[in-house]
Amino acid sequence: MDLFQIVERTGVSYNYALGKVIYDIYYLAKGLKFEPIYITWITSTKNKFESLKKRLKYQYDWYKSYNKIKNNSVVLLQHPLHVTNNRILRKLKYKKNVKFISVIIDIEELRHYYYNNDFFYYKQEFETMLEISDILIVHNNIMFKYFVDKGIPEKKLINIESFDYLQKNDNAVKFERSISFAGNLDAIKSGFVAQLNRLKNIKINLYGANFNNGLLNSENIKYHGSFKSDEISKKLDRGFWLVWDGDSIDSCSGYFGQYLKYNNPHKLSLYLSCGIPVIIWKSAAQAEFVKKYNVGICVENLQEAEDIINNMNADDYNILTENVKKIKPLLCSGYFATKAIKQALDLLNKN
């Protein structure tokens, strides 16, 4: 059985521009003998001529992919595709009898980030995925149910449980009564960040772009700067790290906050792969994962997190870090994605 993967890239060589989680799955699939077929996605265009060249380039790449993929092959896709060709995908399925394994990275219908700006494109991309996919690898049990409610048979769905975070990390983790967060600090995208000054009795560390300097008026809040994904992991060496999103510290509200009810936030994988216990909203889908492995605390709001941490001692913290140590090598080695892709291949072989 011939194995291929359609890989979007933003230049002549693959990089992290489309996200580390996408790169990691590409890398792990490559290790499982999925041959990459690259679709070049040029993200910036200076004029109409450059825009036309961009469109012609990725359409040419799609046609090359059709010619290269053999009859009865298995093709792995990561969704959403940013420069899809739905006609080519359908031709592969119905003319070449290709089987598709679709790894869900995001669901724009739920996330709303791109969906509101380009509704037609992402709606068509999503509907085509539902039509052609033979196996869907989804984030968690909640997302599993979401697709069942969409009419997808359970036998076509695989729960990845967690995204991996491929890295080597030897941080020595220390007990500290602190809350740290790494991510986009823009108050429009992450409105809760602007409310962190309501937490008066705990040390708060912030890492990321778009920081509002007004928060520095709070003595307990420290901004450490913005770092690339391969650099930030060196900073994770103490306290608790926060998995949170939305408009408020009282709950994960708004589009971005409510998306946590369905998705596996990649920052959870980052934190745990560094050996750090986490704080997560108790209504988040990944709260189930945190409870199952006892690798952090699940809270309704951040005032509750503040109280729990301030009443914690080093022994309590060490219990959590010992549990994180058990899950860390799985995340760093790609255990979860590798297992899910192998399971998908087994299901296709049985069918």
Side-chain angles (χ1 to χ4, degrees):
M1 181 166 53
D2 294 298
L3 305 177
F4 298 92
Q5 57 172 320
I6 299 292
V7 181
E8 293 184 321
R9 62 181 181 180
T10 57
V12 293
S13 62
Y14 200 97
N15 54 40
Y16 286 171
L18 291 174
K20 178 164 168 49
V21 62
I22 295 174
Y23 179 86
D24 284 353
I25 290 171
Y26 149 78
Y27 178 84
L28 293 167
K30 195 174 178 182
L32 293 172
K33 309 303 182 185
F34 282 82
E35 181 183 345
I37 298 178
Y38 297 105
I39 307 295
T40 302
W41 179 31
I42 303 170
T43 56
S44 60
T45 53
K46 297 179 181 179
N47 51 50
K48 290 182 179 179
F49 177 69
E50 291 296 323
S51 179
L52 177 61
K53 278 176 59 179
K54 173 181 111 171
R55 289 196 300 273
L56 290 174
K57 171 59 179 167
Y58 66 67
Q59 294 299 344
Y60 174 69
D61 286 349
W62 272 108
Y63 282 105
K64 280 201 309 181
S65 74
Y66 179 80
N67 292 329
K68 186 168 187 178
I69 295 171
K70 302 171 185 176
N71 290 359
N72 305 308
S73 297
V74 174
V75 173
L76 184 140
L77 303 170
Q78 296 191 58
H79 293 276
L81 291 164
H82 297 89
V83 286
T84 192
N85 188 314
N86 297 329
R87 190 169 71 87
I88 293 292
L89 291 173
R90 289 190 178 98
K91 282 181 67 177
L92 286 168
K93 184 170 184 68
Y94 300 119
K95 290 192 174 183
K96 289 195 171 184
N97 195 36
V98 164
K99 303 299 182 187
F100 286 101
I101 299 171
S102 293
V103 182
I104 304 300
I105 303 300
D106 276 305
I107 301 175
E108 296 302 339
E109 183 179 45
L110 295 172
R111 190 167 73 137
H112 295 277
Y113 184 66
Y114 288 114
Y115 207 64
N116 291 340
N117 296 327
D118 201 345
F119 170 81
F120 180 77
Y121 173 84
Y122 285 100
K123 185 174 186 293
Q124 292 293 313
E125 195 274 347
F126 185 74
E127 290 174 351
T128 300
M129 178 195 70
L130 295 181
E131 176 189 340
I132 68 170
S133 297
D134 296 277
I135 302 291
L136 284 160
I137 297 176
V138 303
H139 293 200
N140 50 61
N141 286 328
I142 304 299
M143 190 178 284
F144 191 103
K145 183 180 182 302
Y146 166 83
F147 278 102
V148 170
D149 292 343
K150 286 277 186 184
I152 304 300
E154 290 189 14
K155 64 182 181 181
K156 293 177 65 172
L157 297 169
I158 293 172
N159 176 3
I160 197 172
E161 194 174 6
S162 173
F163 285 125
D164 302 293
Y165 200 99
L166 302 185
Q167 66 164 329
K168 294 180 180 179
N169 184 285
D170 300 317
N171 289 357
V173 177
K174 309 174 188 69
F175 171 56
E176 181 181 85
R177 294 186 180 93
S178 64
I179 297 173
S180 301
F181 177 80
N184 188 347
L185 303 177
D186 183 0
I188 296 175
K189 196 272 178 191
S190 305
F192 76 92
V193 174
Q195 299 180 17
L196 289 173
N197 54 11
R198 288 168 52 193
L199 305 177
K200 303 292 187 183
N201 301 311
I202 194 164
K203 182 179 179 181
I204 298 173
N205 301 297
L206 298 175
Y207 300 81
N210 306 312
F211 177 70
N212 176 5
N213 289 325
L215 284 173
L216 295 178
N217 294 328
S218 302
E219 293 182 0
N220 60 318
I221 296 177
K222 185 174 182 180
Y223 176 59
H224 296 268
S226 181
F227 300 89
K228 295 179 181 178
S229 61
D230 57 343
E231 298 173 341
I232 188 63
S233 61
K234 299 172 186 176
K235 310 296 179 182
L236 282 80
D237 64 355
R238 67 192 64 210
F240 287 84
W241 284 64
L242 181 62
V243 181
W244 205 264
D245 212 338
D247 303 332
S248 174
I249 66 170
D250 298 319
S251 176
C252 289
S253 56
Y255 283 144
F256 293 112
Q258 291 297 295
Y259 189 44
L260 286 178
K261 289 182 175 180
Y262 296 93
N263 80 318
N264 287 359
H266 199 222
K267 60 169 48 70
L268 176 75
S269 305
L270 164 63
Y271 299 161
L272 295 177
S273 70
C274 294
I276 291 285
V278 302
I279 305 161
I280 191 168
W281 184 38
K282 73 176 186 180
S283 296
Q286 279 295 78
E288 178 182 340
F289 183 87
V290 173
K291 290 175 187 174
K292 177 180 177 180
Y293 294 100
N294 193 22
V295 290
I297 57 177
C298 305
V299 297
E300 181 63 42
N301 55 64
L302 294 186
Q303 291 94 338
E304 183 183 351
E306 181 182 39
D307 292 340
I308 291 173
I309 295 169
N310 282 332
N311 286 291
M312 183 175 286
N313 58 42
D315 290 338
D316 298 328
Y317 184 79
N318 289 338
I319 290 172
L320 296 174
T321 57
E322 286 302 312
N323 290 331
V324 176
K325 284 180 183 177
K326 297 172 186 175
I327 204 79
K328 174 180 175 178
L330 302 181
L331 295 163
C332 292
S333 64
Y335 168 82
F336 291 101
T338 300
K339 179 183 176 183
I341 295 170
K342 286 182 176 179
Q343 188 177 349
L345 290 173
D346 287 343
L347 286 174
L348 290 177
N349 283 328
K350 288 177 182 177
N351 293 333

